[in-house]
Amino acid sequence: MPAAKAAAVESGVYLFMGPENGDKNDAADNLKATAEKIHGAVDFYRYYAGESRVMDIISQLENVSLFSAALFVIVKNAELIKGKDDIALISSYIKSSTDSPNTLILESDENSVEKALEALFPPSRKKIFWEMFDNQKPQWVIRYFQKNGLQIEMDAVEQILDMVENNTEALKAECSRFFYCFEKGHRISTEDVDKILSHNREENAFTLFAAMADPSASPKERLETSMAILQKIRLSKDSSGTALLAGLTYCFRQLRNWQALHAGQESPGESQLRAAGFSGKKKQAQYAGAARIWGAGAAASILSLIASTDMDIRSGGSMLEDTSLVLLLHGIIIKNGVYPAKYE
């Protein structure tokens, strides 16, 4: 009886939103650990909204697994679930899954999803994971190094925070590099940070966007830097063109949000910026710089161009992927979102 009661509390459907992926992942891991403690082995699946059909995901959850007592399913990019039929399927599943051993977590890096979808979740089953406040980040980094047996200079802390995305998932990934390179008791200096992060930094859609949106560089310089980053991404293990485009889509959607917030006569307050995903001076400066390069019309054209490139890659296969991505960078940086067919 106690086990059944625990299952009723911990199993179910959850909605996790917000940009703090580290805490979001920890919350999902805790739910998974609880499910494994209650049911033994669970079958784990991860899907991406927009790539997998909601009806297929729900069908899998409703069918009995032959190999384990429970399923644990995470659906990322939940902000893309907008169709009435899809939301109705999720609603029906929530109502019928009270006694189900399965767990379904819908995740989004956005601070909100479709209102009708969000309304399906009571407060106890949904949470927004906010990024840390600026004054919390240095102590987080210091504690993380101390927990792993290293000391760190304050200048090195600030240098790391300037180089790494503002969420604990990214900070953990980057800071963990030091633990393999230095013995316990070592004090990390700015020279160590240069050696470990500057020369071994993994590039991704966000570092690519930062290079594309650097207002201090000329279009030609931005293109050259972006091309070098693209080449490094394509040579890495995470070289998926569609994943890269998804990241760029998020960045330019955020640019549109930034432009909308600053369209009025009054500048948005810190609370408004944080609610829209622009917490931290570094991120605010980045999008302010991007807004000086691309206006609202250009941002809309760029999003359209990214979507078109995504369709071309999905339909044309991997052979044309590199060419499509190069044309995309040229279209964004040099042509401000003009389609390749209009190139001179």
Side-chain angles (χ1 to χ4, degrees):
M1 183 65 70
K5 183 177 180 181
V9 172
E10 296 297 339
S11 66
V13 186
Y14 299 82
L15 176 62
F16 291 166
M17 301 171 287
E20 179 34 66
N21 289 320
D23 289 347
K24 195 188 303 176
N25 290 340
D26 288 345
D29 289 342
N30 289 338
L31 286 173
K32 186 170 181 286
T34 301
E36 289 171 338
K37 185 176 180 180
I38 294 169
H39 305 294
V42 300
D43 284 344
F44 175 72
Y45 297 91
R46 179 182 286 110
Y47 297 101
Y48 292 84
E51 296 183 8
S52 301
R53 298 190 305 175
V54 170
M55 68 168 58
D56 294 334
I57 298 170
I58 297 301
S59 177
Q60 183 179 36
L61 286 162
E62 290 177 336
N63 291 328
V64 177
S65 173
L66 299 177
F67 306 104
S68 64
L71 301 180
F72 194 93
V73 177
I74 294 177
V75 181
K76 291 185 171 291
N77 301 338
E79 71 277 2
L80 299 179
I81 301 176
K82 298 178 180 291
K84 291 183 179 179
D85 291 342
D86 288 340
I87 294 174
L89 280 171
I90 295 171
S91 175
S92 177
Y93 175 73
I94 291 174
K95 293 174 182 176
S96 64
S97 65
T98 305
D99 299 321
S100 172
N102 299 332
T103 301
L104 170 64
I105 302 176
L106 304 185
E107 289 189 0
S108 174
D109 291 344
E110 306 286 346
N111 296 331
S112 62
V113 296
E114 190 74 13
K115 288 184 178 180
L117 178 63
E118 187 171 340
L120 301 178
F121 298 83
S124 62
R125 294 302 174 100
K126 63 183 174 183
K127 183 176 180 179
I128 298 177
F129 292 83
W130 301 104
E131 291 176 338
M132 287 185 290
F133 290 106
D134 287 342
N135 60 3
Q136 296 175 317
K137 297 177 214 170
Q139 283 303 313
W140 187 97
V141 174
I142 292 170
R143 285 195 300 270
Y144 191 64
F145 274 91
Q146 289 176 340
K147 185 172 68 175
N148 289 276
L150 296 177
Q151 302 299 312
I152 183 168
E153 298 174 357
M154 185 54 69
D155 286 346
V157 172
E158 295 298 334
Q159 189 173 358
I160 289 172
L161 293 174
D162 283 341
M163 297 176 67
V164 181
E165 283 295 310
N166 182 26
N167 66 76
T168 56
E169 181 184 44
L171 284 170
K172 285 179 181 178
E174 296 298 329
C175 292
S176 295
R177 295 168 179 261
F178 293 86
F179 309 150
Y180 300 101
C181 301
F182 300 99
E183 294 182 359
K184 289 189 176 182
H186 180 81
R187 188 174 182 84
I188 302 299
S189 65
T190 54
E191 290 77 12
D192 295 329
V193 175
D194 282 333
K195 186 186 302 181
I196 301 302
L197 295 189
S198 297
H199 299 301
N200 298 286
R201 184 180 67 169
E202 289 188 4
E203 305 288 3
N204 53 42
F206 301 103
T207 60
L208 177 58
F209 176 76
M212 295 165 67
D214 180 4
S216 67
S218 69
K220 181 180 178 182
E221 290 170 336
R222 289 189 284 118
L223 180 61
E224 290 175 352
T225 304
S226 299
M227 291 287 287
I229 293 174
L230 175 63
Q231 183 179 29
K232 192 171 181 180
I233 293 172
R234 297 296 288 165
L235 292 173
S236 71
K237 61 181 179 181
D238 299 320
S239 60
S240 167
T242 53
L244 177 63
L245 294 176
L248 289 178
T249 297
Y250 171 80
C251 291
F252 279 98
R253 282 178 178 168
Q254 282 296 88
L255 175 58
R256 291 291 305 277
N257 292 338
W258 176 273
Q259 292 165 338
L261 284 171
H262 290 80
Q265 293 183 350
E266 294 185 7
S267 298
E270 187 66 30
S271 60
Q272 282 182 285
L273 292 174
R274 183 174 294 279
F278 301 107
S279 55
K281 299 299 181 184
K282 180 182 176 183
K283 181 171 287 188
Q284 291 171 16
Q286 181 184 68
Y287 279 94
R292 292 200 298 270
I293 295 173
W294 299 292
S301 295
I302 288 168
L303 283 168
S304 182
L305 179 56
I306 294 173
S308 176
T309 303
D310 185 56
M311 287 191 292
D312 290 343
I313 287 177
R314 291 176 187 273
S315 60
S318 59
M319 291 182 61
L320 298 177
E321 213 169 287
D322 286 322
T323 301
S324 297
L325 292 172
V326 169
L327 287 174
L328 174 67
L329 292 190
H330 186 273
I332 293 174
I333 298 170
I334 305 299
K335 297 291 186 177
N336 288 335
V338 176
Y339 281 83
K342 297 181 181 179
Y343 286 179
E344 297 173 357

